[in-house]
């Protein structure tokens, strides 16, 4: 099966957080949810609207996709969101998300999908695609 990152992205963006979904879907949802909140409402809102556990889940999700620098930045966010000016934090975040006009998260998701074996008898609970392998 050809794994389409757009299908995974669209599935996650169109749904509520996956309760029992595949690990990749849960991680991707945590990343997209935080990215959307920061982009639309700012870093303070991102912290105010989440528990410490949800912040850690978002950080771990970035780690899962091979983006530990972003994961570390998110872990520091609760301490920094109300101290450092929003525009400074947003610029810092965006400089890690978009590098040389390339969307870092998209590349990380494609790499995670590429790690998947192409054959299996069932769904893989530890990959980003959230689709059954063929």
């Amino acid at each position: 099966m050809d794994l389409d990152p757009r299908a995974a992205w669209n599935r996650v963006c169109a749904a509520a957080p996956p309760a029992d979904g595949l690990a990749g879907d849960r991680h991707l949802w945590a990343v997209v949810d935080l990215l959307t909140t920061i982009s639309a409402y700012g870093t303070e809102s991102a912290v105010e609207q989440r528990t410490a556990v949800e912040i850690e889940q978002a950080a771990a999700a970035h780690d899962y996709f091979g983006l530990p620098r972003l994961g570390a930045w998110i872990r520091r966010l609760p301490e920094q969101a109300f101290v450092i000016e929003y525009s400074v934090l947003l610029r810092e975040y965006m400089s890690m998300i978009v590098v040389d006009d390339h969307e870092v998260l998209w590349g990380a998701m494609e790499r995670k999908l590429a790690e998947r074996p192409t054959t299996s008898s069932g769904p893989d609970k530890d990959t980003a695609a959230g689709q059954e392998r063929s």
Side-chain angles (χ1 to χ4, degrees):
M1 174 194 312
D2 181 31
L3 299 174
D4 180 12
R6 280 185 175 69
W9 184 271
N10 291 339
R11 182 179 57 254
V12 169
C13 288
D20 295 334
L22 302 174
D25 281 4
R26 289 190 308 274
H27 291 306
L28 184 56
W29 191 89
V31 169
V32 169
D33 182 54
L34 184 69
L35 172 64
T36 302
T37 303
I38 289 173
S39 299
Y41 305 107
T43 51
E44 289 180 10
S45 292
V47 171
E48 289 175 337
Q49 296 175 12
R50 284 166 182 73
T51 65
V53 170
E54 291 168 329
I55 295 282
E56 177 52 36
Q57 288 170 340
H62 284 78
D63 294 344
Y64 174 84
F65 284 107
L67 303 169
R69 187 169 160 227
L70 276 163
W73 185 89
I74 291 164
R75 286 181 181 92
R76 290 189 310 272
L77 189 58
E79 300 162 4
Q80 296 178 341
F82 302 98
V83 179
I84 299 174
E85 186 177 328
Y86 163 69
S87 63
V88 172
L89 285 174
L90 183 60
R91 206 171 27 254
E92 190 176 290
Y93 181 71
M94 293 309 290
S95 74
M96 289 185 281
I97 287 289
V98 180
V99 176
D100 296 329
D101 293 327
H102 296 296
E103 166 65 52
V104 172
L105 177 58
W106 190 261
M109 189 173 72
E110 287 178 324
R111 283 189 302 279
K112 196 67 170 173
L113 283 169
E115 291 174 5
R116 290 182 64 165
T118 56
T119 59
S120 174
S121 60
D124 182 348
K125 296 210 181 268
D126 293 322
T127 61
Q131 300 173 1
E132 285 191 342
R133 296 184 245 165
S134 59

